Amino acid sequence: MLKILKYSFFDLIRSRWSYVYLLFYLLLGFVLLFLNEDLSKAVITLMNVIIILVPLIGTIFGVMYYYDSKEFTELLLAQPVKRSSIFIGQYLGVSLSLVMSLVIGLGLPFVFYGLFQSSAIFDFTLLLVTGALLTLAFTAIAFNIALYNENKIKGFSYAILMWLFMAVIYDGLFLMFLVIFDTYPLDKFSLIATMLNPIDLSRILILLKLDIAALLGYTGAIFKEFFGTNTGLFSALGALMIWVVLPVFNIYRKSKKKDF
Amino acid sequence: MSIFLLFTQSFNAQDIEVCQTCETRSISDAISQAKPGDKIIVKEGVYKEHKIIIDKPITLIGENLPIVDGENKGDIFQVFADSVTIDGLKLINVGSSYTSDFAAIRLSRAKNFLIQNLELRKIFFGIYLEKSHHGTIRNNNILGDAVNEHNSGNGIHLWYSKNVKIEDNLIQKVRDGIYLEFADDCVISNNKSIDNLRYGLHFMFSNDDVYQHNIFENNGAGVAVMFSKRIEMIRNEFKYNWGTAAYGLLLKEINDATIESNIFEENTTGINVEGSNRITYTKNDFKDNGTAIKVLGACYDNIFTLNNFLYNSFDVSFNSRLNTNRFHQNYWSEYTGYDLDEDGYGDVPYRPVKLFSYVVNQIPEAIILMRSLFVDIIDFSEKVSPVFTPDNLLDEEPLIRKYND
């Protein structure tokens, strides 16, 4: 598995798109910090960008890589290599190279502008962890979609739809549900509904940093417990990890059975 | 004749010393010996006394902060005379009661008093004024140990008292830091009211008062102004009032007030306004609040000008569709318009009420969707063509740069 991981990783690192991705983050980081030297404000702006962009990039790269390397995968399958290690290796190769672009691309400007001397280091770490987990989760979901769809176009559209659903449509349905069932107690429901969408989970992590004053305005005891203490932070991070583990496990399960 | 009387009085005025080894060992004895105009000097030490009645115009001064211990038995000082000065004492252990309002110092029908440099600890009520006018309460340090609202008292309590000055006090951990009921023409300045259970400063049925340069931090709500007229609120700081019913400033049934140059920072709600008319809000800073201004029903003809709204989760929240309030020339950090003619005012009006804040008013749980892309999209579409929010609620000339005094 390690060999395949290494191969995919270096294959991607040599590719142009990784550099474009890295450059994009470098530019974003530097421009933001140039315009506004306040590190913690920049972290908050970045969080807003990251929860939309990272899933999109993760999804597209995941699907693209799977279909592009399909012939090579079939070649590998003819060798005495375990199936799971081929797919998991490829998955890790893609996602880790994306995570690396993210960490280096954002890390460099921030270190340059004195991250280690500032109090924003905790927020920044949280930002990188959230970004990394989102990349891992969405690349895994993209691999799943690709595994289930032989047709490239179909797979691609499903992947993009999935992203659109998670990023926009889900919240719309969620809000509609809240409006319709207005008369019922909804705080438990809304927390659970948030847990079911990794983008919402990451958004909650931002809210906990940024809008805590507004969040405490709501009178529900459950919200108060969730937002007022560290419970919110840890359960959101925990749920995000589950969002990584489950799709990866499904890659493992599906790849064992799939016909080629 | 009166000048002569005054002269003989001050000529005859003498100092009475109270200490553990003096002739007079208790403050009550000293007061009963004293003649009007006398000065009683209390030396360092602990005096276990309560219900000390001051019924003549005297001056009571403590040296090196002597301690008067009420042993939880009730009022420590009761003042029934005019022109009384109490200065430099430490009063402890007032003792609480569910039937009477025990206070460290109670002034009843007294005029021209001066209460200053006191330290109050373990109190129920701190300084309690009933029908006492024209006095000053200055530079006192009041620290309570309030846990529940129903069995705790207020730091400084005014009832039917007019023309009182309250200055430079530090009040912590009581129920209401300063409480005014039927107290008109009072001036409250340079106080710090911190960590109080209910309100930092509380007005009920009090008119024509001024409060300025005060700091209100981490109270249940910073200041509550209720059922009062013509209150001036100038250069105060309202900070860190966090919680479900926590406000920087709570206005209820207030008319013709002025709110100027105050700072509202990191409150769950900066100002909560209910049934208040003809109030002018000028030059205030609203920074990092959950909701900067929350307007509930029946608020008419209020004017908001030259305020800075900086990075609040919601700038203005409004629950009705009728609006006669006017926003004019404020700075909004979320304003995205432009200023082509460079006159310092944006060319596109700013709509401070977001659709989402309207939704959150209806369905509080929806707050969890804040900053979602979907919410940004519906906010944007509402901004373009308002349906749910009052369409005349807008700032026609938003400032391009932050307003500085």
Side-chain angles (χ1 to χ4, degrees), chain B residues 54-235:
Chain B
I54 303 181
D55 50 4
K56 47 196 124 179
I58 52 165
T59 302
L60 188 70
I61 294 177
E63 267 186 16
N64 297 325
L65 212 66
I67 297 170
V68 183
D69 185 347
E71 297 181 284
N72 296 321
K73 285 176 183 162
D75 289 351
I76 297 180
F77 282 99
Q78 293 182 334
V79 180
F80 299 109
D82 296 346
S83 310
V84 170
T85 300
I86 300 178
D87 185 353
L89 299 171
K90 180 169 182 174
L91 309 180
I92 59 171
N93 298 332
V94 174
S96 59
S97 154
Y98 289 97
T99 48
S100 39
D101 295 341
F102 291 150
I105 297 182
R106 173 186 304 277
L107 287 99
S108 192
R109 294 172 197 277
K111 272 184 205 149
N112 303 320
F113 51 86
L114 172 63
I115 312 279
Q116 63 180 2
N117 307 324
L118 302 180
E119 226 173 79
L120 271 53
R121 297 287 181 272
K122 297 198 173 159
I123 50 163
F124 184 46
F125 280 77
I127 301 169
Y128 195 113
L129 273 60
E130 314 169 314
K131 304 200 171 179
S132 300
H133 311 299
H134 300 281
T136 306
I137 299 171
R138 183 194 295 152
N139 200 23
N140 301 296
N141 181 331
I142 302 175
L143 174 64
D145 44 10
V147 182
N148 296 312
E149 272 186 24
H150 62 272
N151 61 359
S152 52
N154 305 327
I156 298 175
H157 185 105
L158 275 67
W159 185 70
Y160 278 109
S161 297
K162 299 195 165 86
N163 295 299
V164 178
K165 273 188 201 148
I166 301 174
E167 305 167 340
D168 303 307
N169 300 292
L170 171 64
I171 306 161
Q172 289 162 293
K173 293 191 180 160
V174 287
R175 185 174 63 191
D176 286 351
I178 303 171
Y179 179 88
L180 291 91
E181 191 169 344
F182 306 107
D184 300 344
D185 303 299
C186 294
V187 179
I188 299 160
S189 40
N190 297 310
N191 300 289
K192 276 188 194 170
S193 194
I194 299 169
D195 296 326
N196 296 303
L197 220 52
R198 198 167 64 182
Y199 304 127
L201 169 60
H202 189 177
F203 291 87
M204 291 296 267
F205 314 105
S206 301
N207 304 327
D208 303 292
D209 298 312
V210 179
Y211 69 94
Q212 54 196 356
H213 299 279
N214 300 292
I215 296 174
F216 303 100
E217 264 181 35
N218 202 17
N219 302 299
V223 176
V225 187
M226 300 179 178
F227 310 100
S228 302
K229 286 173 195 151
R230 299 175 298 275
I231 306 281
E232 281 181 41
M233 322 177 197
I234 301 165
R235 289 188 193 280

Side-chain angles (χ1 to χ4, degrees), chain A residues 167-168 171-172 174-175 178-179 182 186-187 190-191 194 203-204 207 210-219 223, chain B residues 242-244 267-268 288-290 311 313-314 359 362-374 377-378:
Chain A
V168 185
D171 289 349
F174 187 176
L175 187 62
L178 289 181
V179 173
D182 187 16
L186 288 168
D187 39 7
S190 29
L191 282 183
T194 312
R203 198 169 43 79
I204 288 294
L207 288 187
L210 196 60
D211 296 296
I212 187 75
L215 291 170
L216 286 174
Y218 174 63
T219 40
F223 267 31
Chain B
W242 275 17
T244 48
N267 304 294
T268 299
D288 297 318
N289 299 291
Y311 321 110
S313 302
F314 300 112
V359 173
Q362 309 291 319
I363 311 155
E365 290 91 348
I367 190 84
I368 207 162
L369 287 170
M370 195 156 141
R371 282 178 205 282
S372 141
L373 190 57
F374 180 78
I377 293 168
I378 59 166

Side-chain angles (χ1 to χ4, degrees), chain A residues 44 47-52 55 126 130-131 134 166-168 170-172 174-175 178 190-191 193-212 215 226-227 232-233 236-237 240, chain B residues 356 365-376:
Chain A
I44 285 162
M47 275 200 169
N48 270 319
V49 176
I50 274 185
I51 56 166
I52 298 302
L126 184 66
T130 316
L134 274 177
M166 294 287 198
V168 185
Y170 186 87
D171 289 349
F174 187 176
L175 187 62
L178 289 181
S190 29
L191 282 183
T194 312
M195 295 285 171
L196 296 181
N197 181 346
I199 294 184
D200 275 356
L201 275 171
S202 324
R203 198 169 43 79
I204 288 294
L205 287 173
I206 303 181
L207 288 187
L208 286 172
K209 283 266 128 292
L210 196 60
D211 296 296
I212 187 75
L215 291 170
F226 189 81
F227 291 124
L233 181 73
L237 277 178
L240 211 51
Chain B
F356 187 55
E365 290 91 348
I367 190 84
I368 207 162
L369 287 170
M370 195 156 141
R371 282 178 205 282
S372 141
L373 190 57
F374 180 78
V375 166
D376 289 348

